[in-house]
Amino acid sequence: MKPLGLESVSKSFGSQQALDSLTFTVRPGEIFGFVGGNGAGKTTAMRIGVGVLAPDQGQVLWGEAPVGRLESARFGYMPEERGLYPKMTVARQLIYLGRLHGLSRADAQDAMVRWTERLRITHHREKPVDNLSLGNQQRVQLAAALVHDPEVLILDEPFSGLDPIAVDAMSEVLRDKAAQGVPVLFSSHQLELVEQLCDRVGIVRAGRLAACGSLEELRPTEVNSQVYVEVEGAPEDWPAHCAAAAGFRTHQQGVLVDLAADRAENDLLAEAVRHGTVRRLQRQTPSLAELFRGLIEPAMDLPPAHAEAPPKPRSAELGEVSS
């Protein structure tokens, strides 16, 4: 398998600039979370990545070669807006899309059966898509992205509208595809899911990459010296009497302690037990949501200068078909 990369990609719509020299790479076998505020450029970047839109500048690379129509045919793409033919049955639709991607009728039939079973929508095969709930439509949308066994997956808000069981099923599919060496790129506003699933995360702000890396790489180094402690029966200022504490502040039901230089959690624990019963002690690590707020909120007061691409009907991407 080969990496997928956007290299210095820029895109404007009239006077509105959606992307500004955006660069990142999704490695083979990696799940890459792409997050940002509304209008940050995520959807535009993903449409360019799959070839639905052309960049004004820059290029999309698969391995070392630019992505063209033949290359992008090997990609699986799931748009945020529904990209399905509403009056077609689920089975007919998936077979049709498999044929569009070059599968024989028999192989397309087998793929339809396999993915409707895997995503637990077998009992909906003969139903028109617009008869399904939004969550089941989302499952069909994922099956459409997977029906041709793609070598790259690009998914725009794939978890939107899913119940917990469907979230688990989709998460399992993404992990399996990554285990096969497929680069998996997906966007989501559900940051807890991104944190659980992703090997690396790219945070986009105003069409530029504000940060990129694993969660450990994105966390500030100074945070690693903070420890949250709850001590039952201790006075509020107990850390002031501990050599292992360089400073502290109240936090939730306990205190957030800044470790002194060359001190570790065990040093703090040994001193904390002298002041009461230690109920909780853990290294303080910010969640992805906290990192996201720290990077995005400072820019929220700036005047809007970027815009997402207007939605494009799926039929224009795939070719019209009668239902």
Side-chain angles (χ1 to χ4, degrees), residues 113-130:
V113 170
R114 182 171 67 255
W115 284 113
T116 52
E117 288 177 351
R118 178 72 185 274
L119 295 171
R120 304 179 185 180
I121 48 174
T122 55
H123 52 298
H124 295 308
R125 285 175 183 163
E126 300 309 318
K127 296 178 183 178
V129 169
D130 63 358

Side-chain angles (χ1 to χ4, degrees), residues 52 69 77 79 83-85 93 96-97 100-101 141 144 312-321:
V52 173
R69 182 175 293 274
Y77 174 49
L84 302 169
Y85 299 106
Q93 183 144 206
Y96 169 72
L97 295 175
L100 275 186
H101 282 285
Q141 190 85 66
K312 182 175 183 179
R314 183 66 167 169
S315 59
E317 301 166 25
L318 297 176
E320 295 289 352
V321 62

Side-chain angles (χ1 to χ4, degrees), residues 268-290:
L268 182 63
L269 176 62
E271 295 188 282
V273 295
R274 300 192 187 109
H275 298 277
T277 303
V278 177
R279 295 300 185 188
R280 185 177 178 187
L281 186 148
Q282 68 181 44
R283 178 78 72 168
Q284 183 75 0
T285 54
S287 67
L288 177 58
E290 291 169 323

